[in-house]
């Protein structure tokens, strides 16, 4: 029987935003987690050079895999053999690859709610069963060892994200260790989505590899490296799944783009430029955290990392999709409806992405300052 997959509603919001822009409207795109900065200059230069000198083709860069392995050693103190690293066409194919390799149709996989919309829908598309754990304000919108321990029977797998989408919350290292210990005891395979690593504003994000050698790790060049359009990610496979993952990678996706691999290797040589992007996001975060409570949006998930503000609009609506459309039409600000991330309580939340230029964040605040006070309150 065909599986049921829900739409990604932020895409419809974005399509409306682009139509309005074509009509001459001034639009501020805060609906997607997409850096506005573009690839580092070193990556662009490498791409230009390769375009002039290499016909390219199906290829996995040994040098890039070795550089990613070095990255784990330098940032986390973790040794990863390059042959465990599979290069993918972004983190989304890496998610498909990981799930298809580690689990079977019908298997249950736990996720946090709110959580990234594609976890739930990709599991369903692969005929697996998502088990969503309600993770509210009292646990900082994050998965916990305690919540996982209550599941009976234990799920086959667990998807973690730290920093998380849509909240930006980070799981502390000691809690990651506790989750890893529980998963070992209950036979739960961990899939850790670490796509927002490098984007944190206090507490550093730890890799699950430091606590669980058999965890599957997903990451990408889309966020910290600001290369979303280059469609390049990676998966760190545990030793027992490497060969099975390679079989599926070759049949499902072949290889990622050669040009992107050359550029990504050079992107590691631009630390100052990349950290400059993080400082821009830090400033944007500070501006929004100062302004939104003044405008009545004071119930905000703690954005420890990533580049999102997940805010309650319960006093204004019980229809986050309609609210986002109305805000876009009235103000030109495109945001993501919370129902994408939480089908139960997300009708009362919206997500702002602050991965845009600081002047656009400032302009968005001014537009909200003129608009939000005039919105009708929900009775009750």
């Amino acid at each position: 029987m065909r599986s049921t997959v829900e739409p990604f509603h932020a895409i419809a919001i974005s399509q409306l935003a682009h139509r309005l822009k074509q009509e001459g409207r001034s639009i501020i795109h805060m609906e997607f987690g997409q850096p506005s900065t573009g690839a580092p200059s070193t990556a662009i230069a490498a791409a230009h050079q390769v375009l002039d000198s290499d016909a390219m083709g199906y290829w996995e860069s040994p040098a890039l895999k070795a550089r990613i392995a070095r990255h784990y050693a330098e940032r986390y103190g973790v040794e990863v053999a390059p042959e465990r690293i599979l290069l993918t066409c972004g983190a989304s194919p890496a998610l498909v690859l990981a799930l298809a390799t580690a689990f079977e149709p019908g298997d249950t996989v736990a996720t946090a709610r709110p959580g990234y919309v594609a976890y739930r829908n990709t599991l369903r598309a692969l005929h697996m069963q998502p088990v969503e754990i309600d993770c509210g304000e009292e646990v900082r919108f994050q998965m916990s060892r305690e919540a996982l321990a209550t599941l009976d029977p234990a799920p086959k797998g667990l998807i973690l994200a730290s920093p998380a989408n849509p909240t930006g919350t980070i799981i502390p290292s000691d809690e990651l260790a506790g989750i890893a210990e529980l998963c070992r005891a209950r036979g739960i395979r961990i899939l850790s989505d670490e796509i927002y690593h490098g984007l944190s504003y206090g507490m550093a994000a730890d890799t699950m590899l430091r606590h669980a050698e058999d965890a599957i790790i997903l990451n990408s060049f889309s966020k910290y490296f600001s290369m979303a359009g280059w469609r390049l990610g990676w998966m760190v496979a545990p030793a027992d799944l490497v060969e099975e993952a390679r079989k599926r990678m070759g049949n499902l996706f072949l290889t990622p783009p050669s040009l992107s691999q050359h550029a990504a290797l050079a992107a590691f040589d631009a630390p100052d430029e990349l950290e400059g992007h993080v400082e821009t996001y830090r400033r944007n975060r500070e501006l929004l955290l100062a302004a939104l409570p003044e405008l009545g949006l004071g119930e905000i998930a703690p954005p420890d990392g990533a580049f999102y503000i997940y805010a309650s609009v319960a006093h204004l609506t019980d229809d986050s999709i309609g609210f986002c459309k109305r805000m876009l039409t009235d103000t030109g600000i495109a945001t993501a409806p919370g129902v994408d991330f939480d089908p139960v309580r997300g009708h009362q939340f919206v997500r702002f992405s602050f991965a845009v230029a600081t002047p656009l964040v400032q302009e968005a605040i001014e537009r909200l300052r003129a608009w939000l006070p005039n919105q009708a309150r929900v009775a009750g």
Side-chain angles (χ1 to χ4, degrees), residues 4-149:
T4 300
V5 176
E6 298 297 326
F8 192 169
H9 296 289
I11 294 176
I13 298 293
S14 187
Q15 291 171 341
L16 174 58
H18 283 287
R19 287 199 299 271
L20 292 174
K21 187 174 182 178
Q22 290 177 343
E23 295 171 4
R25 293 284 304 278
S26 170
I27 303 298
I28 301 176
H29 288 283
M30 305 178 81
E31 73 273 32
F32 289 146
Q34 177 173 286
S36 60
T37 45
S41 56
T42 54
I44 297 294
H48 279 296
Q49 182 179 8
V50 169
L51 282 170
D52 292 334
S53 61
D54 190 339
M56 293 178 283
Y58 301 131
W59 179 61
E60 275 189 287
S61 169
L64 180 57
K65 289 192 284 187
R67 183 63 185 85
I68 293 171
R70 178 181 149 197
H71 169 74
Y72 280 97
E74 292 175 345
R75 174 161 289 186
Y76 308 106
V78 173
E79 183 176 344
V80 176
E83 55 266 25
R84 289 176 55 196
I85 298 169
L86 287 82
L87 302 175
T88 62
C89 304
S92 296
L95 175 64
V96 173
L97 178 64
L99 294 174
T101 301
F103 307 111
E104 300 288 342
D107 280 352
T108 55
V109 179
T111 65
R113 190 181 70 239
Y116 181 43
V117 59
Y119 301 152
R120 178 173 70 249
N121 284 324
T122 303
L123 284 166
R124 288 175 176 166
L126 293 173
H127 299 278
M128 299 168 189
Q129 298 180 38
V131 178
E132 294 186 314
I133 300 176
D134 185 20
C135 300
E137 297 86 343
E138 68 283 358
V139 290
R140 303 178 73 255
F141 298 92
Q142 264 293 9
M143 184 68 68
S144 67
R145 184 186 191 280
E146 181 180 2
L148 192 59

Side-chain angles (χ1 to χ4, degrees), residues 246-258:
R246 291 207 171 279
K247 292 175 188 177
R248 287 160 176 78
M249 178 67 195
N251 283 283
L252 293 173
F253 306 112
L254 289 177
T255 65
S258 296

Side-chain angles (χ1 to χ4, degrees), residues 7 20 26 54 82-83 93 137 152 154 211 256 282 291 311 328 351 365:
L20 292 174
S26 170
D54 190 339
E83 55 266 25
E137 297 86 343
D152 186 20
H211 308 287
R282 187 188 308 276
L328 172 58
R351 189 197 70 180
I365 289 171

